Amino acid sequence: DEIVIAAGAHSAHLVSSAMGEFCPLETERGYSVTFSKNSDSLLTRAVCDPSAGWIATPMSGGLRVAGKVELGGVNAPPTPARWNQIERETRTLLGDEGLGERIPSKDWLGFRPTMPDALPVIGRSQKLPKSVFYAFGHQHVGWTLGGITGQLVSEMVQGKKPSVDLAPYALSRFRFRNQIGGQSIFGNPKSGVNTQQQRCFSSSSSDPPADSLVKLR
């Protein structure tokens, strides 16, 4: 049987724990707020404020404003100040008239799986290259690259030559994990993930303390 690991921001844990391969994937957490119905009439198309780091999009249920980047892994709770910040910046840009109230029940946090070089991981597992395939780490463009990624994975599974040279996207491009006899020289040989990796790459670890989050924009 063939297995494809394509779990987005949760892929790092699967690769590290199940496959024992070093995977320095981090999670760019993005925040979204929605304003009351009819607020969508303020705009006729999506509008980006690059200085604030979000995009406002008119939707059938109201105006949706989403963006920001926060490095905090998949286990840390949301930072409510981010939603408040987006609302404040949106009102500054568009004004209160016609914007309406923010709908708290639609406040949302999502994960963008990102590798250190901003390129995805598409290729074969080094441990089980004939049966385990990787497809994750598409950063902000997962929907955009989903189609071609599916095609490439299909070609690999069928034993065909990939349409694109996949060497630049192999997980093995990150060669930070030194091993002696199959065990990491830094720490816990049972888990396959050492403590230094866990501190640096919180998407592969348990909940980080709140003050350890790196918040951008």
Side-chain angles (χ1 to χ4, degrees):
D1 294 338
E2 290 80 21
I3 297 174
V4 179
I5 295 181
H10 301 276
S11 299
H13 175 72
L14 293 173
V15 173
S16 298
S17 62
M19 301 305 301
E21 296 184 45
F22 177 60
C23 182
L25 181 146
E26 184 50 91
T27 302
E28 293 187 53
R29 294 148 54 100
Y31 288 77
S32 171
V33 304
T34 300
F35 294 91
S36 59
K37 194 169 184 179
N38 299 324
S39 60
D40 53 291
S41 61
L42 288 172
L43 300 175
T44 59
R45 68 203 71 189
V47 173
C48 175
D49 184 342
S51 63
W54 48 250
I55 297 177
T57 306
M59 310 286 284
S60 59
L63 186 69
R64 178 175 181 255
V65 186
K68 302 299 182 185
V69 171
E70 179 183 77
L71 305 181
V74 297
N75 295 315
T79 305
R82 288 282 166 238
W83 290 313
N84 298 334
Q85 179 185 8
I86 293 176
E87 177 182 7
R88 184 171 62 252
E89 292 170 345
T90 304
R91 294 190 183 281
T92 299
L93 181 67
L94 301 179
D96 285 325
E97 186 176 353
L99 189 57
E101 296 297 320
R102 181 176 121 209
I103 306 174
S105 62
K106 293 189 176 182
D107 288 349
W108 181 79
L109 166 68
F111 306 124
R112 308 181 191 99
T114 303
M115 303 303 290
D117 58 4
L119 295 177
V121 171
I122 306 173
R124 300 173 182 271
S125 161
Q126 285 190 295
K127 294 290 184 67
L128 297 172
K130 293 184 178 181
S131 57
V132 178
F133 304 87
Y134 296 152
F136 55 83
H138 292 76
Q139 203 193 30
H140 295 236
V141 288
W143 285 103
T144 304
L145 298 179
I148 182 61
T149 299
Q151 176 183 323
L152 293 169
V153 170
S154 175
E155 291 169 348
M156 286 190 292
V157 170
Q158 296 178 71
K160 298 179 180 179
K161 180 180 179 180
S163 304
V164 175
D165 178 13
L166 295 181
Y169 309 106
L171 181 60
S172 59
R173 68 186 187 267
F174 301 104
R175 299 182 179 277
F176 302 134
R177 185 183 179 196
N178 297 311
Q179 296 184 337
I180 298 178
Q183 297 183 0
S184 169
I185 64 173
F186 292 113
N188 193 345
K190 293 183 179 180
S191 68
V193 182
N194 63 64
T195 55
Q196 288 187 355
Q197 290 170 359
Q198 290 181 343
R199 285 196 292 269
C200 294
F201 305 107
S202 56
S203 55
S204 301
S205 66
S206 57
D207 293 359
D211 59 2
S212 71
L213 302 184
V214 179
K215 301 173 184 178
L216 308 177
R217 288 184 178 174

